[in-house]
Amino acid sequence: MTQETENLIELRTVVRGEVALPGDDGFDERSTPWNIAVDQRPIAVVDAADAEDVAALVAFAARNGLPIIVQPGGHGATGAATGAIVLRTSHLTTLSVNAFDGIARVGAGISAGALQEAAAAAGFTALAGSSPIVNVVALALGGGLSWFGRKYGWVADSIRALEVVTPQGEHRRVTEESDADLFWALRGGGGHAAVVTLVELQLHEAAQFAGGRIMWSGEHTAAVVDAFASLTSDAPDELTIWLEILSFPGAPPFVALDVAYLGSNTELRELLRLDALPAPLRDGVRDMPLADIGTIADEPTDPSPGITQVELLRTLDSDVREALASASPAPAMIVQVRPLGGAFAAPSNTPLGALTEPYLISLFSSPRDEDAAAAIQESHARLVAQLPVTGRKVPTFLQGGDSLGNVYDGEALERLRRIVEQRDPQVLIRTEHAL
């Protein structure tokens, strides 16, 4: 038995949460990330009982020179967990909303759907993204793009305070006043330099909400793409429309507009201006509870294999629209285009800065096997080669092999590196993308 193995066995006596080690029943399942196509081989998986358990784990890891990587649900995994202790945070379920000031206290085990439900019950909205199962803290630490980002900016911009465990095992509450450098680094910096156990987020008042999906058959893709470009060129910041080009195995192609609006359905219909389009196959846009916003994009909620490529676009001119409309989506299952602008383009006191590109495009496909995976990557590359991409990446959607040099500008990246080197010189807290 190696010294590392002996130390890991000791881990069962150090923390009160569940510890899974290689060879244990169910270890392979517990160590697999949400994207099951990602191969990661951690040396242990710990589901901490609470914040004190996190501190105990960090102290143990520091004593034994073992890196930790935080994976609340395994979204965004790149394989960087190999050789590290994976920390799960499903038991850190603090969730409260102050109805007076709209501040939510959100533990590191809370999903976006759970936060949105609590916020809506108090008359507020969080900056909800496309999926209700994504972890809120992980989303915020990675910047976070939401339905309401055009109105309110990055999810990271809404962080007012964080509760963390430092690499030295110290519990701290971090604010801009108490530690400006660490506060800046954690809000959109990807989770380096501390394990975050809770965030305090500013929610936003939302008296009314309307949204849903409008879907057409694939033969109308060109017309819908043109309508999307026209609508998003001057849409108010309260309105977000996502274009979806959908091609699923065994089904005909479809094209859809996913819509979210901070206002009534009556107002939304006046803004949409879709009378020139053919009658849709389905129109699900309606006044709806904010708690149901996670149903609009209809994203899968069960783990599955996936290949994703996300790029930022300089324009959505006629050449781009033609490429989108004429490109055969297979084997790409979902081609999604999101408008940015609005508050995203404003200055941000985070490592992220302003996001000035007007559109984001995401390609997602699910491979059946290695041959299919290779075909998917070639298909993605062919479409992207026709598009005016800027090369900048958004941390929320980073994939394995992406560089942080394409996320942050040079000055922000250097500041982030200096802070991390000062706070965690041994790189005890590993992330999916190293600095």
Side-chain angles (χ1 to χ4, degrees), residues 4 29 42 51 86 119 183 232-233 258 263 303 324 338 355 380 415:
E4 180 180 283
E29 180 180 354
V86 166
F183 183 74
T232 56
S233 67
D258 288 348
L324 291 174
R338 302 185 183 190
L355 187 59
H380 288 188
R415 181 183 177 190

Side-chain angles (χ1 to χ4, degrees), residues 64-309:
N64 293 282
L66 301 173
I68 297 171
I69 190 166
V70 184
Q71 281 189 357
H75 284 82
T78 64
T82 296
I85 299 172
V86 166
L87 170 60
R88 308 280 194 210
T89 56
S90 62
H91 297 304
L92 279 67
T93 55
T94 296
L95 178 57
S96 64
V97 175
N98 187 322
F100 177 73
D101 61 9
I103 296 292
R105 288 176 51 82
V106 186
I110 295 296
S111 69
L115 171 59
Q116 189 66 3
E117 185 174 347
F124 295 93
T125 182
L127 296 188
S130 56
S131 171
I133 65 170
V134 168
N135 180 270
V136 173
V137 170
L139 178 68
L141 298 184
L145 299 180
S146 80
W147 285 109
F148 306 137
R150 287 168 29 79
K151 178 69 174 176
Y152 297 113
W154 301 93
V155 177
D157 288 320
S158 292
I159 297 176
R160 296 293 172 263
L162 310 97
E163 293 182 7
V164 310
V165 175
T166 70
Q168 294 72 39
E170 188 180 28
H171 284 279
R172 294 186 56 198
R173 183 173 186 271
V174 178
T175 65
E176 188 168 20
E177 293 73 27
S178 70
D179 191 334
D181 276 347
L182 187 56
F183 183 74
W184 177 86
L186 290 173
R187 295 166 76 235
H192 302 271
V195 176
V196 178
T197 59
L198 180 145
V199 294
E200 295 180 12
L201 292 173
Q202 180 67 61
L203 304 178
H204 304 278
E205 293 185 3
Q208 290 182 294
F209 175 69
R213 170 171 285 182
I214 308 173
M215 182 180 290
W216 294 262
S217 65
E219 64 187 292
H220 302 304
T221 297
V224 175
V225 170
D226 286 344
F228 168 77
S230 176
L231 287 169
T232 56
S233 67
D234 61 358
D237 292 346
E238 292 80 6
L239 171 61
T240 292
I241 305 170
W242 294 349
L243 172 70
E244 309 273 2
I245 301 173
L246 309 167
S247 178
F248 298 106
F254 298 99
V255 61
L257 297 179
D258 288 348
V259 182
Y261 177 61
L262 289 166
S264 70
N265 187 38
T266 300
E267 297 166 347
L268 175 56
R269 293 293 175 174
E270 294 176 356
L271 292 168
L272 285 179
R273 309 191 306 269
L274 297 176
D275 292 344
L277 287 175
L281 297 173
R282 178 167 67 87
D283 185 341
V285 172
R286 65 198 187 281
D287 289 312
M288 65 187 299
L290 270 163
D292 293 344
I293 192 172
T295 65
I296 294 175
D298 195 28
E299 292 194 358
T301 56
D302 293 326
S304 60
I307 295 175
T308 302
Q309 183 168 352

